[in-house]
Each structure stands twice: as structure tokens, then as C-alpha cells.
């Protein structure tokens, strides 16, 4: 078998692909169209080479030419991006990180999404060794104001929407700890906005406390919550850092960029 020399020059095909990616990166760095001369200078490619590759990309609609001598990213990239986005599933992205978090803390880890005035549990990582009965099965529902993840979603709403929710639901309680008064709920939501986490202090189930962090998509929209449930006397505040890191990992997999990352881009 003929061996490939790792130090040999790249083949022409690989060279063309590398140059194509370099051109796309330059176009992606600017919102407006860029002149052929500037693209050539930024990539270090000869203008004739730059022109030839850009024309090939334009044929495939990967690049547009709004006017002679200028280029920008084309609609084909948007179409492909939307296809990838449609395939991204929060449950698929979350499952492995959830299992790893559960392995570290040995308590149930829950993934929930909002449906109307309730959250729905769509995935859970747990084991019998956690020492806590799992009282909310996958597919189970709970009121927003009684759960840690639900409070994150309410915190993302404006004051008018929160008041409308309170009117619709009456803020019915399940335990003696349930928040059933709007002013108290509003203070709780203000804390959730400030710190980016929310808690359930035996408000849904006596003997069970939870903490939750949000999961965001590529548009920085809250789409799910990741929560840890534990017996009330065993919820460890040290888990919070791990919970937030796991939620961030899932968000990143879905295309989310923090404000700092967006500024740096």
C-alpha cells in the first residue's frame, strides 16, 4: 500500500476547499457586501483566484453579487442553516450532559419545556440510588409558578403577561409553601431575572426542593429549563455551578452565544 507523506503539499482539491472556506469566513465577518479587492487582500489570495472561486460559489447560490465587483453570503447558506437548526432537538442535545450531571450529583436531573401555563417534563436522568421517589414522570405537567423551571419562563415574560397568568390560573397552590399571591411571585421572578436561576422550595411537593437554570437557542430565546430535584434537606448549593455549566453546554450545542461571545465575534 502506498503511504501518504504527511509533510507533502496539500492536493489542489484540498487547497481549493481551504480557500473557499477562507472566502466565506471573510464574507461572514461583515453584514454588507465586500469588494473583490478587499476580499483578496484579507485572504491573501490573488484577485483572479478570488474571482474564480467566488463565481463558482455564486453559481451554487452560496454567494450573492448585489452589484458588479462586490459579494456577500448567499441564501443557500441560510437554507442549509435552517435545515440544521430544524434537526437540532433540545432533548437530543441535553441527554448526554444531563446523564453526566446526574453521575456527579446522584440526584434526579430534569429537562422541562413550557406549554401554555404549565411546564412539561420531556426528559429525566435519575437512578433508584438517589433515595428520592420520582414523582413527576416524563410527560408530566405542573403549573409554572410552582416549579423552578416554570419560574424561569415567567421571569422571561413582561409584567403584563405575568399578571395575566396570575388572573387565568388564580395562582392555585399545592402545599403550604406554594406562592399564591402575585406580589410575592413578582419578587421571586425579579430574583430569577437577576441571578439567572430559580428555585422551588417545597412549593409543588412537600419534602422536595429544586433549582433550575435556563437553556437558550441560537436566538437567545429561553426554550427549556434544566433542574435538579432533591430531598429538601439534601439539596446542595454547591450543585448550582455544575447545573449552570451543564445548561450552558446544552445551550451552546443549540447555537446559543452569550452576550460576551457575541461581542467578541
Amino acid at each position: 500500500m502506498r503511504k501518504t507523506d504527511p509533510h507533502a503539499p496539500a492536493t489542489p482539491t484540498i487547497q481549493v476547499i481551504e480557500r473557499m472556506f477562507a472566502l466565506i469566513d471573510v464574507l461572514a465577518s461583515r453584514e454588507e457586501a465586500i469588494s473583490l479587492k478587499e476580499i483578496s487582500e484579507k485572504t491573501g489570495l490573488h484577485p483572479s483566484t478570488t474571482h474564480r472561486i467566488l463565481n463558482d460559489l455564486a453559481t451554487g447560490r452560496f454567494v450573492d453579487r448585489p452589484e458588479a465587483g462586490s459579494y456577500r453570503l448567499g441564501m443557500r447558506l441560510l437554507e442549509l442553516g435552517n435545515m440544521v437548526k430544524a434537526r437540532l432537538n433540545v432533548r437530543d442535545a441535553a441527554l448526554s450532559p444531563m446523564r453526566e450531571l446526574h453521575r456527579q450529583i446522584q440526584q434526579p436531573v430534569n429537562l422541562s419545556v413550557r406549554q401554555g401555563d404549565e411546564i412539561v417534563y420531556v426528559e429525566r436522568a435519575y437512578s433508584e440510588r438517589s433515595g428520592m421517589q420520582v414523582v413527576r414522570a416524563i410527560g408530566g405537567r405542573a403549573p409554572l409558578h410552582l416549579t423552578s423551571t416554570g419560574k424561569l419562563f415567567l421571569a422571561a415574560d413582561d409584567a403584563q403577561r405575568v399578571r395575566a397568568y396570575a388572573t387565568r390560573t388564580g395562582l392555585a397552590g399545592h402545599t403550604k409553601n406554594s406562592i399564591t399571591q402575585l406580589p410575592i411571585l413578582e419578587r421571586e421572578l425579579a430574583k430569577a431575572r437577576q441571578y439567572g436561576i430559580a428555585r422551588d422550595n417545597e412549593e409543588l411537593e412537600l419534602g422536595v426542593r429544586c433549582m433550575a437554570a435556563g437553556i437558550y437557542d441560537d436566538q437567545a430565546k429561553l426554550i427549556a429549563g434544566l433542574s435538579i430535584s432533591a430531598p429538601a434537606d439534601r439539596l446542595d448549593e454547591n450543585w448550582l455551578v455544575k447545573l449552570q455549566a451543564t445548561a450552558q453546554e446544552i445551550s451552546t450545542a443549540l447555537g446559543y452565544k452569550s452576550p460576551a461571545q457575541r461581542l467578541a465575534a
Side-chain angles (χ1 to χ4, degrees):
M1 178 182 290
R2 182 179 178 182
K3 294 184 179 180
T4 302
D5 181 357
H7 302 293
T11 65
T13 300
I14 294 175
Q15 269 191 348
V16 171
I17 293 173
E18 289 174 345
R19 290 171 176 176
M20 177 185 70
F21 287 148
L23 293 172
I24 289 175
D25 283 341
V26 169
L27 294 175
S29 70
R30 297 266 289 276
E31 292 185 8
E32 69 274 13
I34 309 178
S35 69
L36 175 64
K37 179 182 177 182
E38 185 176 354
I39 298 170
S40 176
E41 289 173 349
K42 285 183 176 295
T43 58
L45 296 176
H46 192 277
S48 63
T49 301
T50 303
H51 183 261
R52 183 178 67 252
I53 297 175
L54 286 173
N55 280 350
D56 288 342
L57 288 170
T59 301
R61 296 173 52 239
F62 293 97
V63 166
D64 286 338
R65 284 174 293 200
E67 55 187 45
S70 67
Y71 299 84
R72 66 187 178 194
L73 293 182
M75 293 301 293
R76 181 58 179 157
L77 288 172
L78 177 62
E79 293 168 2
L80 293 174
N82 285 334
M83 289 172 61
V84 173
K85 182 179 177 181
R87 292 171 184 164
L88 289 176
N89 180 292
V90 64
R91 180 184 173 277
D92 292 342
L95 195 53
S96 180
M98 286 175 66
R99 286 173 174 166
E100 174 58 23
L101 178 58
H102 168 68
R103 186 191 67 78
Q104 294 177 29
I105 67 174
Q106 291 300 303
Q107 294 297 330
V109 178
N110 317 291
L111 179 69
S112 311
V113 299
R114 180 177 185 171
Q115 286 191 0
D117 291 340
E118 299 176 309
I119 64 161
V120 179
Y121 296 88
V122 295
E123 191 52 79
R124 169 170 277 123
Y126 72 98
S127 65
E128 299 301 327
R129 291 177 296 173
S130 67
M132 189 183 79
Q133 182 182 5
V134 178
V135 291
R136 285 288 181 271
I138 295 174
R141 296 171 177 267
L144 296 175
H145 67 288
L146 299 182
T147 62
S148 54
T149 291
K151 289 175 186 175
L152 290 176
F153 280 103
L154 286 174
D157 285 345
D158 59 30
Q160 184 177 352
R161 290 179 179 273
V162 173
R163 288 194 294 270
Y165 168 84
T167 300
R168 285 194 307 272
T169 64
L171 296 182
H174 283 202
T175 76
K176 63 182 181 180
N177 288 0
S178 298
I179 295 176
T180 58
Q181 298 179 28
L182 181 57
I184 299 175
L185 177 62
E186 288 174 331
R187 288 197 293 271
E188 188 85 355
L189 300 182
K191 289 192 291 185
R193 294 186 193 101
Q194 180 179 358
Y195 298 109
I197 57 135
R199 300 174 185 275
D200 161 15
N201 183 30
E202 301 184 69
E203 296 160 51
L204 182 65
E205 313 259 357
L206 283 176
V208 179
R209 294 171 59 208
C210 304
M211 55 174 67
I215 294 171
Y216 299 85
D217 67 7
D218 62 323
Q219 301 299 310
K221 179 183 178 182
L222 178 67
I223 59 170
L226 190 70
S227 63
I228 297 171
S229 305
D233 60 349
R234 283 168 48 188
L235 191 72
D236 189 338
E237 291 300 316
N238 292 322
W239 296 340
L240 189 55
V241 173
K242 295 177 180 178
L243 173 66
Q244 290 176 302
T246 304
Q248 176 65 51
E249 178 184 353
I250 299 167
S251 298
T252 300
L254 295 171
Y256 171 73
K257 291 185 178 180
S258 68
Q261 289 173 317
R262 289 197 292 272
L263 285 174

